[in-house]
Amino acid sequence: MTVFLLIGGVGAALLLLAVLVGDLLDSLFNFDAIDSDFFSFAGLAGFVGALGFAGAIALSVVHSLPIAIVSGVLVGLGVGALAAWLTARLKDPSRDSDSTVRSHHLIGRTGRVIHDIPAGGLGEIRVSVNGHPTKLNARAAEPIGAGTLVEVTAVLSPTSVMVRHGEPVHP
Amino acid sequence: MLGFVPPLVLGIVGIIAVLLLVGLLIINRYKVAGPNEAYIVTGRKGKEVRNPETGEISTDLSGQKVVMGGGVFVMPFVQRLHVLDLSSRRIMVQIRGAVSGQGVKLNLDGVAIVKVGGNEDSIRAAAQRFLTQQDEIETFTQETLAGSLRSIVGALSVEQIIRDRAAFAQSVADESESSLTGQGLVLDTFQIQDITDDGTYLSDLGRPESAKVGRLAAIAEANARQEAEQARIAAEQQIAIAERELSLKNAEIKAETDAAQATAAAAGPLAQADRDQAILAEQEKVAVRQAALKERQLDTEVRKPADAERYRVETEAEARRTSAIRQADANRAASIAKAEADAETARLTGEGDKSRRSALAEAEAIEGARRGEAEKARRIAEAEATRAEGEAEAAAILAKGEAEAEAMNKRAEAFARYNEAAVLQMLVEVLPQVAEKVAAPMAGIDKLTVVSTDGAGAVPKQVTNNVVQTMELIKNTTGVDLTKLVAKYSEEATDSIGQGSNGHNTAG
């Protein structure tokens, strides 16, 4: 009984420590070898804590040590699995609420020229990407006057694009 | 503690605490980026990509995850999270003695707004350079921008720097593209705040235009002043015309009102004059009646008695004259007879008796003289007696005197004098009444204030004047000069005596 409760207490203490000190723990323990989404500190500590407390509950109910161990392991695995699933779900890139602008987002966007684009020189256009109004330097095959609608055809650098007259391909 | 708390309860509480702590820990691993920051999560492996041209396999940067404005789960132990500030940074740029395209040295003050680019590539590039020294971005960039500005100024003319926004913006874009983009920085704006030069190029630049504008302003002001003056003069002319019209109108109105007032003022006196005239006419009628009445009264009271008196006097005079003539005739006849008798005596006595005759003649002459004197004394006595009888007696004495001369002449003169005497008498009787009438206005005077240098002595003078004027009036109206008449009358009364003796002398 006491052993089970101690194990649970250690697990809970580790979890509490992890929550309180946060990233400090990450630098102390280096688990570079273990590169798995499944195995995490939260899962491990949760497993230990759940095993201990669940075992204690089972022993006090059934008064049978083997049953208590088995049920504690099972509950610990359940809690660990829950933590792992939750982690995996949050880590899923498809579920990212990320609005980072990437170069390929610019292609096909429609912008408006704010400074004349001369032949062979740089002008300026304004493009709205993911809701960010972005000012970009732009080149074009032919001179384009200010106020004209243009379509981005290629990305030359993080701050410059190639444009052409016309309506966007993707509305 | 364990002895008091049942193990079952303790276990259940522990399980719940473990579940809560696991959840809390997992939630803590999930980080959400703010709008002004970018997260760079490192520690993951990049995806393997095959270069389509060379066939080389390499890992991309996807292991270095860039997160903007979203959440990311940071794996404990294996991943690390870095934060890059995306806020704008203001950088003041000052360059001195930058040579422009024309070779003019310029001093420029500019301001640039620089930030870390808002896309993945820029964030990666900037994180690589500035992650641990984000405060140094300004310092680094300021140097770069000063050089850029210098090269921009060198490529453009002064006029382009000042006016040609497009050219300047293009140059700035070129510069930023080459110098800042590689560092993951974006030049939001780059503005020149001030341009000065050590010489006078910039100030000379504006001089022609300012001179032109000054000229235009002066012309406009002059024109405006001219127009204003013209307008003012025109307005004054209008005002003068209006004033003239007003005064004309006023005069017209005044003339009308004055005429009306004069008419009104004259109406009273005119009416008064009319009434006075009517009164005068009535008074005239009364006067005419009174005159007629007076005339009749005079007829009855004065003229007829006078006529009767005259007739009496005339007949008496006639009688006396006849007797006097007879007397004279008799005297003459006696004298003639005596003279003839004497002459006869003388002739008879002869020439020798000349001395006797002369003595006789002398004696005769003396006798004649004495006789004449005696006659004269007698006649004077007679005339005085006649005058004492009455005024008409004088005429008789005169007629008697005149009998010595032309009889007819004497008679006529006597007649004329009798008429004048009659008129004189009439007038003398009327005169007091006339004088009374003349003095009537003065009688009506209640209070007399005399304004004269003569003082109160003017009043009797006035009365005398009135009398004199009355006599003058009679003279002018009737032709009878009273004064002369009276004088003449008295004169003639005295003269007639002398004339009588003269006439007698003539006759003798």
Side-chain angles (χ1 to χ4, degrees), chain B residues 53-69:
Chain B
E53 291 171 10
T54 58
E56 276 184 49
I57 295 170
S58 60
T59 54
D60 62 7
L61 279 169
S62 63
Q64 238 188 55
K65 194 176 183 186
V66 174
V67 178
M68 288 168 63

Side-chain angles (χ1 to χ4, degrees), chain B residues 239-367:
Chain B
I239 288 163
I241 288 164
E243 275 176 352
R244 187 186 63 191
E245 278 178 9
L246 176 69
S247 48
L248 282 174
K249 187 64 72 180
N250 275 345
E252 205 177 305
I253 288 162
K254 194 175 182 309
E256 281 176 19
T257 52
D258 283 0
Q261 276 176 352
T263 310
L270 275 174
Q272 184 67 39
D274 278 351
R275 280 199 301 276
D276 288 356
Q277 226 168 12
I279 290 163
L280 280 174
E282 291 305 312
Q283 281 179 344
E284 202 176 13
K285 284 177 191 170
V286 170
V288 167
R289 293 253 184 87
Q290 276 181 345
L293 182 64
K294 197 83 200 168
E295 204 172 356
R296 279 200 296 277
Q297 273 181 347
L298 283 173
D299 270 355
T300 53
E301 288 171 12
V302 179
R303 199 174 296 153
K304 288 203 170 95
D307 281 355
E309 183 66 19
R310 190 186 61 191
Y311 181 72
R312 187 182 61 80
V313 171
E314 272 176 11
T315 46
E316 274 180 13
E318 188 71 24
R320 267 197 300 273
R321 195 179 53 123
T322 312
S323 71
I325 287 165
R326 296 263 172 80
Q327 182 90 42
D329 278 354
N331 286 345
R332 192 183 57 178
S335 298
I336 287 165
K338 202 166 207 49
E340 275 176 2
D342 286 347
E344 192 66 28
T345 310
R347 197 177 50 86
L348 288 176
T349 56
E351 295 280 350
D353 291 339
K354 260 190 191 173
S355 58
R356 194 182 54 87
R357 270 199 302 243
S358 67
L360 276 175
E362 270 179 29
E364 184 73 28
I366 290 162
E367 192 187 340

Side-chain angles (χ1 to χ4, degrees), chain A:
Chain A
M1 174 64 70
T2 314
V3 176
F4 279 119
L5 283 176
L6 279 174
I7 290 166
V10 166
L14 279 174
L15 278 171
L16 189 65
L17 192 70
V19 167
L20 289 176
V21 301
D23 288 339
L24 184 66
L25 213 63
D26 293 346
S27 55
L28 286 176
F29 300 97
N30 201 338
F31 288 108
D32 272 349
I34 306 161
D35 182 25
S36 164
D37 292 341
F38 188 75
F39 188 81
S40 67
F41 184 82
L44 190 68
F47 168 73
V48 172
L51 188 150
F53 288 119
I57 293 163
L59 194 62
S60 64
V61 171
V62 187
H63 300 288
S64 163
L65 190 60
I67 292 171
I69 291 170
V70 170
S71 58
V73 168
L74 283 175
V75 171
L77 284 173
V79 169
L82 182 72
W85 174 79
L86 201 62
T87 307
R89 188 171 168 76
L90 284 173
K91 274 171 65 181
D92 187 1
S94 66
R95 298 194 169 273
D96 270 356
S97 60
D98 179 20
S99 65
T100 311
V101 178
R102 295 187 167 80
S103 296
H104 66 266
H105 291 159
L106 292 169
I107 308 292
R109 293 276 171 182
T110 304
R112 200 173 282 278
V113 181
I114 53 174
H115 274 133
D116 296 5
I117 303 171
L122 281 168
E124 282 184 334
I125 65 165
R126 191 183 300 285
V127 184
S128 179
V129 191
N130 297 2
H132 294 284
T134 315
K135 196 180 75 169
L136 294 167
N137 298 320
R139 290 180 187 279
E142 72 278 8
I144 299 174
T148 316
L149 279 173
V150 290
E151 187 194 344
V152 179
T153 55
V155 178
L156 303 175
S157 78
T159 55
S160 64
V161 290
M162 194 80 189
V163 296
R164 69 157 187 239
H165 274 287
E167 292 304 307
V169 177
H170 315 294

